[in-house]
Amino acid sequence: MKMKYLNPIIIFTLFVGISIFVSCNKDFDDINENPNEPTEVSPDVLLASAIKQSVNTSTNESFLLGNNAGQLTAKTLRTEVDDYNWNAFPTVWSGFYTSLTDVESMIDITYDLETSTTKYDRMRGVGLVLRSWIYYNITNAYGDVPYFNAIEGDNGNFTPAYDSQSEIYADMIEKLDQADSLLQTSYNNSDIEVEPITGDLIYNNDASKWVKFANSLQLRILMHAGNRIANGSQKFEDIVNNRPIISSNDDNATLDYLGGFPNQFPTIPLKTGDFDAVALSQNAYATLSAYGDPRLMRYARPSNGNYDSTGVTSFSGAVNGRNNDNCNKSGSRLGAIYYNYPDQKTASSLGLETANGLMMTYAEVQFILAEAQAKGWINTGTVEGYYKEGILASMEQYQVNVTSAGSYSTFGYSDFDDFYNNSGVAYNAVTDIWEQKWLALFFTGLEPYFEVRRWYVESNKDWNNIPFLSAPCDNVNDDVLPMRFLYPGEEQSLNSANYNNALPPDYDIDTPMWVVE
């Protein structure tokens, strides 16, 4: 077959068409750029998103897990948490790791690879604090977890290795030191020009308060690590003596929720039946009622919903454990600051603010200092001084000083000093610190469980050595408090090699991790 020659006109037309196509293709990106649409996400957007996602996860898991495993509240339905029939609790894993994608992206924006210098010093410092708080929750729940290469999907790493908890703890401390330096330099030195913090839903862009949170979080981490970190007590003392820490309720690391959807406290939108699946625990009720503690009317709701009643007779506690005839599951509903019941008094009608998302509080810091003083880690203050201040801080945090229902007078006291001196709560032993810290940690994420686990181990795993707690009724784990959550099943299928390498011998919920060996 002979090839036919193309008509010269057709050849010219093709040439012109190809030239136009090449020219258009070359300038296509420029022509189609939208000058009103940003090509990069700004750090403030990422920060706000990460804060909301991580604190929502923490608050939800406090309602479902932390308070119940720590025996501050009890499940009345679906009692797997209470009776130690534990699984992976995958929403903890997925919720916190999802929020880390925004945190890591924000931190990346603050570093200039071309010049190897830090931009946005304050924002980077905030990102490092938030990152450490999130990873602290993940590693304390699961043990060894992906950390150093965890959020590298953009680089094609979808199966990150698991890092040891000891290395994670060491790096969290290092990152918090970096955050302290970045934030302190930026707000103390007026000669240094730095970008302001923006998008901060916790401290309203106040760098000085992030410094206090960074250092206080280190104190929490060091207290959990104990003597497992070389020179940990010296590091603790250095922070207390030389760095700013949370020093009043004004410094509390909290997310202030708003009154309307979707920015409400996470339990507010629940169906009534779902909210009623958690009640005040018998152990919490017994402790609060024995002292005539006014926080009882903040944590719980009187059985008749009448906040004008006095005394503690209209309250009760549900027993932690299985949902059967042996375990009484009847307990007071959680308080008005956590939910709005139809035809019952609400927080606003009682003159109270609704609950906030708690990351760390002044009360907790005071109890940490009290325990450190008792251990001989610090030489400032006194055990009782810190202990008493911790109780007062918790009372004020929960608006007990408000003259509405639940004030000191409701329980027969004239003021806080009257309560402290005459209720039986005055300091006597280290377990008193544990007890009052436990009460103050109500709805503080997973921290109630983490602390109960630490005390349980320090008490030789004997419930009798923790006076305010007990083995859950008819639990399925031989009265033994579980040491960890199990890894999510998707890790076994999607990241199997690293998952299998991370599994300790005889792996189950009772297998200890480094921080509670």
Side-chain angles (χ1 to χ4, degrees), residues 97-136:
Y97 269 117
T98 298
S99 62
L100 278 168
T101 59
D102 284 339
V103 177
E104 296 288 6
S105 296
M106 189 195 92
I107 292 174
D108 287 344
I109 290 174
T110 66
Y111 190 76
D112 190 331
L113 291 174
E114 293 183 3
T115 62
S116 297
T117 57
T118 300
K119 305 181 295 181
Y120 307 110
D121 278 15
R122 295 182 181 183
M123 293 293 284
R124 186 174 183 82
V126 169
L128 292 175
V129 178
L130 186 60
R131 179 184 187 273
S132 296
W133 176 75
I134 294 171
Y135 269 120
Y136 163 85

Side-chain angles (χ1 to χ4, degrees), residues 9-83:
I9 295 176
I10 295 175
I11 294 175
F12 176 77
T13 304
L14 288 171
F15 175 79
V16 172
I18 292 170
S19 298
I20 293 172
F21 175 79
V22 171
S23 175
C24 288
N25 190 56
K26 178 180 177 182
D27 298 327
F28 184 80
D29 290 338
D30 293 336
I31 293 173
N32 285 277
E33 281 186 358
N34 182 351
N36 298 316
E37 183 176 332
T39 58
E40 292 184 0
V41 179
S42 58
D44 59 319
V45 174
L46 293 169
L47 177 59
S49 174
I51 288 173
K52 183 178 178 182
Q53 169 74 26
S54 60
V55 177
N56 279 354
T57 295
S58 177
T59 304
N60 274 318
E61 300 307 336
S62 193
F63 176 69
L64 297 170
L65 287 172
N67 281 350
N68 299 302
Q71 299 186 27
L72 285 164
T73 58
K75 295 295 291 291
T76 60
L77 299 171
R78 301 180 293 277
T79 59
E80 292 86 355
V81 175
D82 292 53
D83 63 31

Side-chain angles (χ1 to χ4, degrees), residues 274-420:
D274 290 333
F275 184 76
D276 284 345
V278 175
L280 185 70
S281 76
Q282 171 59 30
N283 284 330
Y285 167 69
T287 304
L288 291 164
S289 62
Y291 297 129
D293 191 319
R295 286 173 294 184
L296 179 59
M297 277 200 174
R298 298 291 178 263
Y299 296 171
R301 184 185 303 262
S303 56
N304 59 2
N306 181 11
Y307 275 86
D308 296 327
S309 62
T310 59
V312 298
T313 56
S314 59
F315 293 87
S316 61
V319 174
N320 290 96
R322 304 193 78 180
N323 192 3
N324 60 28
D325 293 338
N326 296 327
C327 313
N328 178 19
K329 307 306 290 185
S330 176
S332 295
R333 292 167 167 169
L334 302 188
I337 63 174
Y338 303 106
Y339 198 71
N340 297 324
Y341 271 95
D343 302 322
Q344 289 193 14
K345 292 187 176 180
T346 63
S348 60
S349 69
L350 292 167
L352 303 173
E353 298 177 2
T354 55
N356 298 322
L358 305 179
M359 302 167 77
M360 194 169 192
T361 65
Y362 176 50
E364 181 189 346
V365 172
Q366 290 299 294
F367 291 122
I368 290 174
L369 294 176
E371 191 168 349
Q373 174 61 251
K375 291 176 180 287
W377 288 9
I378 57 176
N379 54 19
T380 58
T382 64
V383 175
E384 184 172 16
Y386 290 127
Y387 168 80
K388 183 178 179 181
E389 182 67 13
I391 301 172
L392 175 60
S394 181
M395 292 287 187
E396 293 180 346
Q397 175 191 330
Y398 282 98
Q399 308 166 76
V400 168
N401 53 328
V402 175
T403 56
S404 64
S407 65
Y408 292 108
S409 60
T410 305
F411 292 85
Y413 304 108
S414 59
D415 54 22
F416 173 74
D417 284 333
D418 186 19
F419 165 77
Y420 183 81

Side-chain angles (χ1 to χ4, degrees), residues 437-449:
K437 184 178 187 181
W438 171 66
L439 291 174
L441 287 174
F442 199 74
F443 262 103
T444 309
L446 297 173
E447 197 62 18
Y449 162 62

Side-chain angles (χ1 to χ4, degrees), residues 485-510:
F485 302 166
L486 298 179
Y487 293 122
E490 64 182 13
E491 283 294 291
Q492 188 172 4
S493 58
L494 300 178
N495 192 13
S496 58
N498 292 311
Y499 166 86
N500 289 324
N501 288 334
L503 290 184
D506 303 320
Y507 170 68
D508 60 22
I509 61 174
D510 297 323

